Amino acid sequence: MTRKSPRDILRPDIVEAALQEFLKRGYESTSLDAIARRAQLTKGGLYYHFRNKEEILLAVHQQYLESICVIIEDLDKTSNPVQALRFYIRRLLKHYAAHPREVTFWLQSLSKTMTHSGSETDWDYYISYVLDWIAGCYRRGFKDGHFRRHDPESRAVALLTAMEGMAGYVALSQIFTWKKAAAHFERIFIDEMRLGNSSVPKKRR
């Protein structure tokens, strides 16, 4: 196999090679030599891009988070906040289902990445970004007369944590298809929030 020059290899190629090795051998058992071979690099060429295996691990997680942020950025084109939330739920759950390898590794290695310096910055940015976007949709939805009065920030936290918690089920379970999960989430986080929804329980006097 012909090895490539470090300049000819892009960081995403190394990240993909590392992900395949991590899933095959586990993070602890994966060596930099194995990652370099799969990326068709020398070990020295690997060091051209990353200082150690921990940096590669963080890059794998960063790529995972960025793939979700791209979905949300695309939804900024949707002017209707109700539709934006529906698309967020459907597209993200579909994304989980279509990328079981990434979701599996994310779940397996999340605790390890949180112990490395630098991971908290990416994680905090991701959480803040998604929470602000969801809360913004709820605020606009209330302002435009789509939603009943509620706490947008609390609702955003509930939706984000529910979506993150469903990732493994949708990606790995045959019971929870992404379409079935989306239907439940839309009913709870959108339809039951709509003004004039008869399913919303009335307050007792």
mmCIF file of all heavy atoms in Angstrom, residues 19-45:
data_model
loop_
_atom_site.group_PDB
_atom_site.id
_atom_site.type_symbol
_atom_site.label_atom_id
_atom_site.label_comp_id
_atom_site.label_asym_id
_atom_site.label_seq_id
_atom_site.Cartn_x
_atom_site.Cartn_y
_atom_site.Cartn_z
ATOM 1 N N LEU A 19 -11.934 6.591 13.842
ATOM 2 C CA LEU A 19 -13.242 6.090 14.259
ATOM 3 C C LEU A 19 -13.376 4.605 13.932
ATOM 4 O O LEU A 19 -13.857 3.817 14.765
ATOM 5 C CB LEU A 19 -14.347 6.887 13.562
ATOM 6 C CG LEU A 19 -15.786 6.407 13.803
ATOM 7 C CD1 LEU A 19 -16.132 6.463 15.283
ATOM 8 C CD2 LEU A 19 -16.776 7.239 13.002
ATOM 9 N N GLN A 20 -12.944 4.206 12.749
ATOM 10 C CA GLN A 20 -13.030 2.799 12.362
ATOM 11 C C GLN A 20 -12.178 1.919 13.273
ATOM 12 O O GLN A 20 -12.599 0.833 13.678
ATOM 13 C CB GLN A 20 -12.578 2.640 10.915
ATOM 14 C CG GLN A 20 -13.519 3.289 9.901
ATOM 15 C CD GLN A 20 -13.051 3.070 8.478
ATOM 16 O OE1 GLN A 20 -12.517 2.023 8.138
ATOM 17 N NE2 GLN A 20 -13.245 4.063 7.621
ATOM 18 N N GLU A 21 -10.991 2.401 13.634
ATOM 19 C CA GLU A 21 -10.117 1.632 14.519
ATOM 20 C C GLU A 21 -10.676 1.581 15.938
ATOM 21 O O GLU A 21 -10.630 0.542 16.598
ATOM 22 C CB GLU A 21 -8.708 2.240 14.528
ATOM 23 C CG GLU A 21 -7.931 2.015 13.251
ATOM 24 C CD GLU A 21 -7.661 0.546 12.989
ATOM 25 O OE1 GLU A 21 -7.359 -0.201 13.944
ATOM 26 O OE2 GLU A 21 -7.779 0.125 11.821
ATOM 27 N N PHE A 22 -11.201 2.692 16.409
ATOM 28 C CA PHE A 22 -11.775 2.732 17.764
ATOM 29 C C PHE A 22 -12.940 1.747 17.882
ATOM 30 O O PHE A 22 -13.093 1.058 18.895
ATOM 31 C CB PHE A 22 -12.252 4.144 18.106
ATOM 32 C CG PHE A 22 -11.139 5.149 18.289
ATOM 33 C CD1 PHE A 22 -11.383 6.509 18.093
ATOM 34 C CD2 PHE A 22 -9.873 4.749 18.662
ATOM 35 C CE1 PHE A 22 -10.370 7.439 18.265
ATOM 36 C CE2 PHE A 22 -8.841 5.675 18.842
ATOM 37 C CZ PHE A 22 -9.103 7.029 18.633
ATOM 38 N N LEU A 23 -13.772 1.703 16.845
ATOM 39 C CA LEU A 23 -14.920 0.804 16.875
ATOM 40 C C LEU A 23 -14.483 -0.655 16.759
ATOM 41 O O LEU A 23 -15.111 -1.537 17.345
ATOM 42 C CB LEU A 23 -15.882 1.154 15.734
ATOM 43 C CG LEU A 23 -16.678 2.454 15.910
ATOM 44 C CD1 LEU A 23 -17.422 2.791 14.626
ATOM 45 C CD2 LEU A 23 -17.644 2.360 17.063
ATOM 46 N N LYS A 24 -13.424 -0.895 16.021
ATOM 47 C CA LYS A 24 -12.945 -2.260 15.820
ATOM 48 C C LYS A 24 -12.213 -2.795 17.048
ATOM 49 O O LYS A 24 -12.430 -3.945 17.470
ATOM 50 C CB LYS A 24 -12.019 -2.302 14.615
ATOM 51 C CG LYS A 24 -11.430 -3.674 14.319
ATOM 52 C CD LYS A 24 -10.512 -3.613 13.107
ATOM 53 C CE LYS A 24 -9.884 -4.974 12.823
ATOM 54 N NZ LYS A 24 -8.968 -4.917 11.635
ATOM 55 N N ARG A 25 -11.350 -1.972 17.647
ATOM 56 C CA ARG A 25 -10.470 -2.435 18.715
ATOM 57 C C ARG A 25 -10.797 -1.867 20.093
ATOM 58 O O ARG A 25 -10.319 -2.387 21.099
ATOM 59 C CB ARG A 25 -9.014 -2.065 18.378
ATOM 60 C CG ARG A 25 -8.550 -2.487 17.007
ATOM 61 C CD ARG A 25 -7.177 -1.907 16.691
ATOM 62 N NE ARG A 25 -6.797 -2.118 15.304
ATOM 63 C CZ ARG A 25 -6.182 -3.213 14.864
ATOM 64 N NH1 ARG A 25 -5.887 -4.184 15.716
ATOM 65 N NH2 ARG A 25 -5.866 -3.343 13.590
ATOM 66 N N GLY A 26 -11.595 -0.793 20.119
ATOM 67 C CA GLY A 26 -11.790 -0.064 21.368
ATOM 68 C C GLY A 26 -10.744 1.023 21.480
ATOM 69 O O GLY A 26 -9.632 0.898 20.944
ATOM 70 N N TYR A 27 -11.067 2.095 22.174
ATOM 71 C CA TYR A 27 -10.141 3.226 22.255
ATOM 72 C C TYR A 27 -8.818 2.838 22.894
ATOM 73 O O TYR A 27 -7.737 3.151 22.377
ATOM 74 C CB TYR A 27 -10.782 4.377 23.041
ATOM 75 C CG TYR A 27 -9.827 5.517 23.297
ATOM 76 C CD1 TYR A 27 -9.509 6.415 22.281
ATOM 77 C CD2 TYR A 27 -9.238 5.687 24.551
ATOM 78 C CE1 TYR A 27 -8.621 7.451 22.505
ATOM 79 C CE2 TYR A 27 -8.349 6.727 24.781
ATOM 80 C CZ TYR A 27 -8.037 7.604 23.751
ATOM 81 O OH TYR A 27 -7.145 8.626 23.981
ATOM 82 N N GLU A 28 -8.866 2.172 24.027
ATOM 83 C CA GLU A 28 -7.652 1.850 24.760
ATOM 84 C C GLU A 28 -6.727 0.942 23.964
ATOM 85 O O GLU A 28 -5.498 1.043 24.060
ATOM 86 C CB GLU A 28 -7.999 1.187 26.103
ATOM 87 C CG GLU A 28 -8.802 2.063 27.050
ATOM 88 C CD GLU A 28 -8.029 3.285 27.524
ATOM 89 O OE1 GLU A 28 -6.796 3.304 27.342
ATOM 90 O OE2 GLU A 28 -8.653 4.210 28.071
ATOM 91 N N SER A 29 -7.294 0.038 23.175
ATOM 92 C CA SER A 29 -6.479 -0.940 22.445
ATOM 93 C C SER A 29 -6.033 -0.447 21.073
ATOM 94 O O SER A 29 -5.285 -1.134 20.377
ATOM 95 C CB SER A 29 -7.266 -2.250 22.273
ATOM 96 O OG SER A 29 -7.585 -2.814 23.530
ATOM 97 N N THR A 30 -6.483 0.717 20.675
ATOM 98 C CA THR A 30 -6.104 1.265 19.371
ATOM 99 C C THR A 30 -4.787 2.023 19.492
ATOM 100 O O THR A 30 -4.647 2.888 20.354
ATOM 101 C CB THR A 30 -7.193 2.197 18.827
ATOM 102 O OG1 THR A 30 -8.390 1.456 18.609
ATOM 103 C CG2 THR A 30 -6.754 2.824 17.505
ATOM 104 N N SER A 31 -3.859 1.718 18.639
ATOM 105 C CA SER A 31 -2.564 2.401 18.648
ATOM 106 C C SER A 31 -2.522 3.464 17.554
ATOM 107 O O SER A 31 -3.293 3.423 16.583
ATOM 108 C CB SER A 31 -1.435 1.402 18.415
ATOM 109 O OG SER A 31 -1.517 0.859 17.102
ATOM 110 N N LEU A 32 -1.606 4.406 17.710
ATOM 111 C CA LEU A 32 -1.409 5.406 16.669
ATOM 112 C C LEU A 32 -0.907 4.763 15.389
ATOM 113 O O LEU A 32 -1.209 5.231 14.288
ATOM 114 C CB LEU A 32 -0.414 6.468 17.161
ATOM 115 C CG LEU A 32 -0.927 7.419 18.242
ATOM 116 C CD1 LEU A 32 0.190 8.339 18.721
ATOM 117 C CD2 LEU A 32 -2.099 8.251 17.730
ATOM 118 N N ASP A 33 -0.133 3.671 15.523
ATOM 119 C CA ASP A 33 0.337 2.953 14.338
ATOM 120 C C ASP A 33 -0.838 2.408 13.521
ATOM 121 O O ASP A 33 -0.834 2.479 12.282
ATOM 122 C CB ASP A 33 1.248 1.795 14.751
ATOM 123 C CG ASP A 33 2.594 2.276 15.263
ATOM 124 O OD1 ASP A 33 3.178 3.166 14.622
ATOM 125 O OD2 ASP A 33 3.049 1.778 16.297
ATOM 126 N N ALA A 34 -1.844 1.857 14.219
ATOM 127 C CA ALA A 34 -3.008 1.301 13.533
ATOM 128 C C ALA A 34 -3.789 2.403 12.812
ATOM 129 O O ALA A 34 -4.259 2.212 11.682
ATOM 130 C CB ALA A 34 -3.905 0.585 14.532
ATOM 131 N N ILE A 35 -3.944 3.553 13.474
ATOM 132 C CA ILE A 35 -4.647 4.680 12.845
ATOM 133 C C ILE A 35 -3.876 5.161 11.628
ATOM 134 O O ILE A 35 -4.457 5.436 10.569
ATOM 135 C CB ILE A 35 -4.843 5.824 13.859
ATOM 136 C CG1 ILE A 35 -5.737 5.373 15.008
ATOM 137 C CG2 ILE A 35 -5.444 7.042 13.166
ATOM 138 C CD1 ILE A 35 -5.855 6.383 16.134
ATOM 139 N N ALA A 36 -2.558 5.269 11.767
ATOM 140 C CA ALA A 36 -1.727 5.734 10.650
ATOM 141 C C ALA A 36 -1.824 4.779 9.462
ATOM 142 O O ALA A 36 -1.939 5.219 8.309
ATOM 143 C CB ALA A 36 -0.274 5.866 11.110
ATOM 144 N N ARG A 37 -1.794 3.473 9.731
ATOM 145 C CA ARG A 37 -1.893 2.500 8.637
ATOM 146 C C ARG A 37 -3.221 2.631 7.905
ATOM 147 O O ARG A 37 -3.276 2.606 6.676
ATOM 148 C CB ARG A 37 -1.730 1.075 9.178
ATOM 149 C CG ARG A 37 -0.300 0.675 9.475
ATOM 150 C CD ARG A 37 -0.192 -0.829 9.650
ATOM 151 N NE ARG A 37 -1.032 -1.316 10.747
ATOM 152 C CZ ARG A 37 -0.632 -1.394 12.001
ATOM 153 N NH1 ARG A 37 0.590 -0.995 12.339
ATOM 154 N NH2 ARG A 37 -1.444 -1.865 12.940
ATOM 155 N N ARG A 38 -4.304 2.753 8.670
ATOM 156 C CA ARG A 38 -5.615 2.855 8.024
ATOM 157 C C ARG A 38 -5.744 4.152 7.235
ATOM 158 O O ARG A 38 -6.414 4.194 6.192
ATOM 159 C CB ARG A 38 -6.736 2.758 9.059
ATOM 160 C CG ARG A 38 -8.119 2.685 8.441
ATOM 161 C CD ARG A 38 -9.185 2.478 9.488
ATOM 162 N NE ARG A 38 -9.197 1.144 10.027
ATOM 163 C CZ ARG A 38 -9.870 0.120 9.510
ATOM 164 N NH1 ARG A 38 -10.584 0.290 8.404
ATOM 165 N NH2 ARG A 38 -9.856 -1.058 10.093
ATOM 166 N N ALA A 39 -5.095 5.208 7.707
ATOM 167 C CA ALA A 39 -5.128 6.496 7.000
ATOM 168 C C ALA A 39 -4.073 6.580 5.906
ATOM 169 O O ALA A 39 -3.968 7.605 5.231
ATOM 170 C CB ALA A 39 -4.929 7.637 7.997
ATOM 171 N N GLN A 40 -3.293 5.499 5.745
ATOM 172 C CA GLN A 40 -2.230 5.432 4.735
ATOM 173 C C GLN A 40 -1.167 6.502 4.976
ATOM 174 O O GLN A 40 -0.707 7.180 4.065
ATOM 175 C CB GLN A 40 -2.803 5.559 3.318
ATOM 176 C CG GLN A 40 -3.811 4.474 2.970
ATOM 177 C CD GLN A 40 -4.372 4.623 1.572
ATOM 178 O OE1 GLN A 40 -3.662 4.982 0.650
ATOM 179 N NE2 GLN A 40 -5.661 4.346 1.423
ATOM 180 N N LEU A 41 -0.795 6.632 6.236
ATOM 181 C CA LEU A 41 0.227 7.582 6.661
ATOM 182 C C LEU A 41 1.302 6.858 7.451
ATOM 183 O O LEU A 41 1.065 5.780 7.995
ATOM 184 C CB LEU A 41 -0.381 8.665 7.563
ATOM 185 C CG LEU A 41 -0.995 9.904 6.939
ATOM 186 C CD1 LEU A 41 -1.648 10.737 8.032
ATOM 187 C CD2 LEU A 41 0.049 10.727 6.205
ATOM 188 N N THR A 42 2.473 7.472 7.536
ATOM 189 C CA THR A 42 3.454 7.011 8.504
ATOM 190 C C THR A 42 3.050 7.576 9.860
ATOM 191 O O THR A 42 2.232 8.506 9.948
ATOM 192 C CB THR A 42 4.861 7.514 8.159
ATOM 193 O OG1 THR A 42 4.874 8.948 8.231
ATOM 194 C CG2 THR A 42 5.269 7.059 6.759
ATOM 195 N N LYS A 43 3.613 7.023 10.922
ATOM 196 C CA LYS A 43 3.297 7.543 12.248
ATOM 197 C C LYS A 43 3.761 8.991 12.366
ATOM 198 O O LYS A 43 3.098 9.824 12.984
ATOM 199 C CB LYS A 43 3.970 6.676 13.318
ATOM 200 C CG LYS A 43 3.500 6.983 14.731
ATOM 201 C CD LYS A 43 4.057 5.975 15.717
ATOM 202 C CE LYS A 43 3.590 6.258 17.135
ATOM 203 N NZ LYS A 43 4.129 5.258 18.091
ATOM 204 N N GLY A 44 4.916 9.284 11.742
ATOM 205 C CA GLY A 44 5.390 10.671 11.741
ATOM 206 C C GLY A 44 4.431 11.590 11.015
ATOM 207 O O GLY A 44 4.223 12.734 11.412
ATOM 208 N N GLY A 45 3.838 11.065 9.927
ATOM 209 C CA GLY A 45 2.859 11.859 9.202
ATOM 210 C C GLY A 45 1.620 12.139 10.032
ATOM 211 O O GLY A 45 0.998 13.201 9.921
#
